[in-house]
Amino acid sequence: MSTASTRLPEGRYGRSSDERADRTLKVVGAVLAVALLGLVGWFGYHYVAKSEISAEVISFEPGEKSVQVHLEVRKDAGAKGYCTVRSQAEDGAEVGRADFRFDGDGTRIDKVVTLRTTSPGTTAELLGCHTG
């Protein structure tokens, strides 16, 4: 005696629910991947292309009550902005922080600024530059 098969005949009743679920998951995953890629691209463009002012610390000279910081600033012509610099003591405590404005038409500015400190500073760190 033979046993009856419980499988449906192929092609007779359309796709199974598992096949429909797999296709739906693939479509949703592809849409989410494209959206994430677009979002990362948008943030990357605005971070790189819209950065109108940037700087770096060339050198610094620590003192008892201040730190002389030599900054090289690169910016778009006519852009206005400021850079934030801080100094730390030997134990890592912050002893000074200040914003220095950079205006004008030049695209490259070399400037030595004086950061006043509450105690002798051993570092000069550029925290960032912002337009405005």
Side-chain angles (χ1 to χ4, degrees):
M1 192 161 163
S2 73
T3 59
S5 173
T6 58
R7 290 183 52 206
L8 297 174
E10 287 192 32
R12 182 178 251 179
Y13 298 105
R15 292 184 180 177
S16 72
S17 62
D18 287 343
E19 289 174 342
R20 283 191 296 272
D22 287 346
R23 178 173 163 78
T24 303
L25 284 175
K26 286 178 185 178
V27 169
V28 168
V31 168
L32 289 176
V34 168
L36 180 64
L37 186 61
L39 188 64
V40 168
W42 185 78
F43 279 119
Y45 170 76
H46 281 281
Y47 180 75
V48 173
K50 297 293 183 177
S51 180
E52 296 176 348
I53 184 169
S54 65
E56 65 180 308
V57 174
I58 303 299
S59 64
F60 65 92
E61 185 70 35
E64 287 297 315
K65 295 289 183 184
S66 66
V67 177
Q68 299 288 323
V69 184
H70 179 191
L71 291 175
E72 181 181 298
V73 179
R74 292 168 303 282
K75 63 182 190 68
D76 293 343
K80 298 178 181 182
Y82 63 94
C83 294
T84 304
V85 179
R86 80 169 175 175
S87 181
Q88 293 177 306
E90 199 168 310
D91 64 356
E94 185 175 286
V95 294
R97 178 187 292 237
D99 294 332
F100 298 100
R101 289 208 60 79
F102 296 97
D103 299 333
D105 292 330
T107 58
R108 185 175 171 270
I109 301 169
D110 273 333
K111 189 172 183 180
V112 176
V113 296
T114 301
L115 175 62
R116 288 185 285 171
T117 59
T118 57
S119 64
T122 59
T123 64
E125 179 182 9
L126 177 68
L127 296 179
C129 295
H130 306 280
T131 58

